[in-house]
Amino acid sequence: QVQLVESGGGLVQPGGSLRLSCTVSGSIRTMHIMGWYRQTPGKERELVATIRRPGTTDYADSVKGRFTISRDNAKNTVYLQMNSLKPEDTAVYYCNVGYSDFTSVIRTSWGQGTHVTVSS
């Protein structure tokens, strides 16, 4: 079992910035991939950004150049720096991790979600 604690969401004006954090704790042997997804009402959850253990990153086209994902392996924490926010970035943002537990089983887990609202 792992626990994911997200923080950093809120209300921001268009053009503003927010930084999301997600700290993971529990029975983790190796953290393979950490990422952020988002979802709006009536739509499927979509990938925002991921970062693999060597540091390889991947971004949705809609956020490239505006969002930056990073991780602190020592703290099992992933960050999403969001700049130049647009109203269409409004969503619930979910942290997701893929990891191996101490039995070497590969698992995935989701955070509870944090709301981001971009509005004037």
Side-chain angles (χ1 to χ4, degrees):
Q1 292 283 351
V2 299
Q3 296 79 43
L4 284 70
V5 178
E6 301 162 346
S7 62
L11 172 65
V12 64
Q13 292 186 342
S17 298
L18 282 175
R19 189 175 86 149
L20 305 182
S21 300
C22 174
T23 298
V24 187
S25 61
S27 300
I28 299 170
R29 179 177 182 177
T30 305
M31 185 72 75
H32 299 294
I33 185 169
M34 307 179 84
W36 292 94
Y37 291 72
R38 66 187 181 187
Q39 189 170 23
T40 55
K43 293 188 177 181
E44 293 187 357
R45 194 170 296 185
E46 64 175 5
L47 181 146
V48 176
T50 60
I51 183 166
R52 298 184 181 274
R53 187 169 181 83
T56 306
T57 58
D58 188 28
Y59 294 94
D61 288 342
S62 59
V63 307
K64 283 181 180 177
R66 300 188 298 122
F67 291 10
T68 302
I69 190 169
S70 61
R71 63 190 282 177
D72 184 331
N73 290 327
K75 296 180 180 179
N76 272 344
T77 298
V78 60
Y79 305 96
L80 185 68
Q81 178 66 45
M82 306 185 293
N83 298 329
S84 302
L85 282 160
K86 305 175 181 180
E88 50 264 44
D89 294 317
T90 296
V92 179
Y93 284 71
Y94 295 91
C95 177
N96 175 264
V97 296
Y99 63 98
S100 298
D101 64 18
F102 289 99
T103 65
S104 298
V105 173
I106 296 176
R107 302 183 184 276
T108 186
S109 187
W110 291 92
Q112 78 283 0
T114 185
H115 290 259
V116 172
T117 302
V118 184
S119 175
S120 56

